[in-house]
Amino acid sequence: MNKKIRVGILFGGQSAEHEVALQSAKNIVDAIDRDRYEVELIGIDKQGGWHLQDARKFLLDAADPAHIRLNAGTDNLAVVPTQGHQPIVSLSAQEREVGPLDVIFPVLHGPFGEDGTVQGLLKLAHLPFVGASVLGSAVGMDKDVMKRLLRDAGIPIPKFVTITRAAYPRLDLDQAVAAVGLPCFVKPANLGSSVGITKAHDRAELRQAMDFAFQYDRKILLEEAIDGREIECAVLGNENPVASVPGEVITDHTRHEFYSYDAKYLDEQGAALVIPAQLPDHLSRAVQTLAVQTFQTLCCEGMGRVDCFVTADERVVINEINTIPGFTRISMYPKLWEASGIPYPELIHRLIQLGLERHAQEQTLATSKA
Ligand SMILES: Nc1ncnc2c1ncn2[C@@H]1O[C@H](COP(=O)(O)OP(=O)(O)O)[C@@H](O)[C@H]1O
Ligand SMILES: [Mg+2]
């Protein structure tokens, strides 16, 4: 039997979705094929510290989504840019060291994890990893750059206006409102989980919403509000990505105006997932085609969940990509693959293989003039 591949699951992180990442990591650990893989767990606490975790006790209150937390020890890990020897080292004397790792599976959402920063660190350490690389991650995180690339590729998106903090005092509000209409959505460019996002119905709300969004980022977007169903599609692959069946998120509009942070994470009745989405075939196919185009336009690799709106007059409008989607067993990304014929353990296997394949290909590239 071949030697087992040693996978480092790098999880948690500093974002608002820290707890979701803990659940995702637990599900991956429980489901990964032990005949093929050996797992090492590296937890990132909310302050950004890295810790080697013991698989038997890495979570506290694991069964309770409201109180789950990382059982971070006192040790600290460091990543050393290197090639040829183990790049993840312990800063304090430990009973146990991180052994050599063949590949990293990042389970981190939002800034400092999904945005290319961790991916850059892993590249410097010459560690193969799952999912989009530096560019795809960074582009997928920045809603302004993402939308400019999609617009350039002719992919349908909502009308939008980007405002930097420097330009904000000189903003022509009439012009901005004329461009996107009211109501409109106001968002920080680089965040996730609906944090900092408001639906503004009039100019007074718009001003407030912009001030609020600027608390989270130096760049914000105003977006045309699209009246449509929220459809999500999973994409898997490197050069030849494929799309899953689409799924639908149905927000309970008597409780939440849109798919807000509360609807996503706090209110159990806030939203329901319907898999597969009840769409006519031609619309499902249109969603799948646009999902793959979006994935490729945004330089993504491995995995991505593409979220869009489908309007009553059958337009598909792309909202965004998530380069590290939620990975709990009840999350949309793995559920969509399950409904498309790829069970959860097989999905984990394919994603790891895609990360290893990409790395192997990169190794064959010339790095200097012949
Ligand atoms: N242009 C829009 N039209 C209609 N609804 C929107 C629009 N933009 C965002 N929303 C609503 O806000 C939610 C969060 O916005 P999104 O851009 O997906 O940010 P995040 O990256 O935080 O998930 C969406 O799921 C949707 O419910
Ligand atoms: Mg979203």
Side-chain angles (χ1 to χ4, degrees):
M1 153 129 218
N2 290 337
K3 199 168 140 286
K4 287 187 191 175
I5 294 173
R6 295 199 79 240
V7 187
I9 298 180
L10 181 63
F11 68 99
Q14 290 175 265
S15 83
E17 287 156 284
H18 177 88
E19 286 75 18
V20 180
L22 299 186
Q23 297 272 8
S24 296
K26 181 176 184 320
N27 283 286
I28 293 173
V29 172
D30 290 346
I32 197 165
D33 181 351
R34 298 281 173 173
D35 291 335
R36 286 167 163 150
Y37 299 105
E38 222 171 81
V39 172
E40 193 75 273
L41 285 167
I42 299 171
I44 304 185
D45 64 33
K46 286 188 164 177
Q47 287 70 45
W50 291 34
H51 309 278
L52 181 59
Q53 305 284 161
D54 181 331
R56 286 160 305 171
K57 49 181 187 198
F58 75 105
L59 294 176
L60 299 171
D61 290 321
D64 177 0
H67 296 103
I68 187 172
R69 58 197 191 283
L70 184 67
N71 184 15
T74 50
D75 69 307
N76 269 293
L77 300 178
V79 183
V80 183
T82 181
Q83 189 163 18
H85 58 87
Q86 165 57 18
I88 303 184
V89 295
S90 181
L91 292 178
S92 43
Q94 292 298 313
E95 305 160 16
R96 201 163 71 85
E97 288 285 334
V98 184
L101 295 173
D102 298 305
V103 58
I104 298 282
F105 196 139
V107 188
L108 305 158
H109 306 296
F112 306 115
E114 199 175 348
D115 61 351
T117 49
V118 162
Q119 289 75 12
L121 191 61
L122 296 175
K123 282 204 90 159
L124 289 174
H126 294 274
L127 275 168
F129 56 91
V130 169
S133 193
V134 175
L135 180 62
S137 301
V139 163
M141 195 77 237
D142 186 308
K143 292 180 166 47
D144 165 51
V145 176
M146 168 164 66
K147 283 178 197 217
R148 283 194 269 152
L149 290 182
L150 293 176
R151 184 174 60 194
D152 180 66
I155 291 172
I157 54 167
K159 292 178 195 137
F160 73 101
V161 172
T162 304
I163 306 163
T164 60
R165 193 173 275 170
Y168 188 40
R170 291 176 275 110
L171 175 70
D172 182 335
L173 196 63
D174 290 332
Q175 208 180 350
V177 169
V180 298
L182 281 172
C184 69
F185 277 82
V186 183
K187 329 180 166 176
N190 284 276
L191 220 63
S193 310
S194 302
V195 174
I197 300 187
T198 313
K199 185 173 183 180
H201 302 81
D202 56 36
R203 279 157 196 257
E205 280 183 17
L206 179 54
R207 276 286 175 199
Q208 272 183 353
M210 288 192 287
D211 290 339
F212 180 57
F214 272 125
Q215 291 177 18
Y216 294 96
D217 203 343
R218 293 173 304 154
K219 184 166 75 167
I220 67 169
L221 278 77
L222 311 189
E223 256 180 53
E224 167 194 15
I226 303 290
D227 187 8
R229 294 165 64 185
E230 288 199 56
I231 304 293
E232 305 189 344
C233 188
V235 180
L236 175 69
N238 289 340
E239 280 105 336
N240 298 302
V242 291
S244 71
V245 296
E248 179 167 12
V249 176
I250 303 184
T251 302
D252 182 344
H253 290 292
T254 63
R255 302 163 81 95
H256 307 279
E257 194 177 13
F258 63 95
Y259 195 30
S260 61
Y261 184 85
D262 290 8
K264 281 180 186 173
Y265 303 121
L266 300 183
D267 180 3
E268 265 182 36
Q269 275 100 48
L273 307 187
V274 180
I275 298 165
Q278 299 303 302
L279 287 172
D281 282 354
H282 68 282
L283 273 180
S284 281
R285 278 198 300 275
V287 167
Q288 289 172 320
T289 304
L290 279 171
V292 169
Q293 281 174 9
T294 297
F295 184 89
Q296 292 185 307
T297 299
L298 300 178
C299 312
C300 286
E301 284 159 324
M303 60 184 168
R305 196 193 72 228
V306 177
D307 299 349
C308 63
F309 306 104
V310 175
T311 65
D313 61 352
E314 302 203 335
R315 283 185 309 131
V316 179
V317 181
I318 298 294
N319 179 29
E320 62 160 348
I321 194 162
N322 291 284
T323 53
I324 307 185
F327 240 92
T328 73
R329 273 185 175 275
I330 56 163
S331 297
M332 189 64 111
Y333 188 84
K335 287 288 243 186
L336 289 175
W337 282 118
E338 221 162 68
S340 309
I342 304 180
Y344 191 95
E346 172 68 17
L347 178 62
I348 297 168
H349 170 61
R350 290 210 198 171
L351 286 168
I352 293 171
Q353 294 303 314
L354 287 166
L356 287 169
E357 272 168 39
R358 185 227 351 245
H359 186 79
Q361 278 184 9
E362 284 173 356
Q363 298 310 298
T364 65
L365 300 175
T367 53
S368 58
K369 198 165 171 294

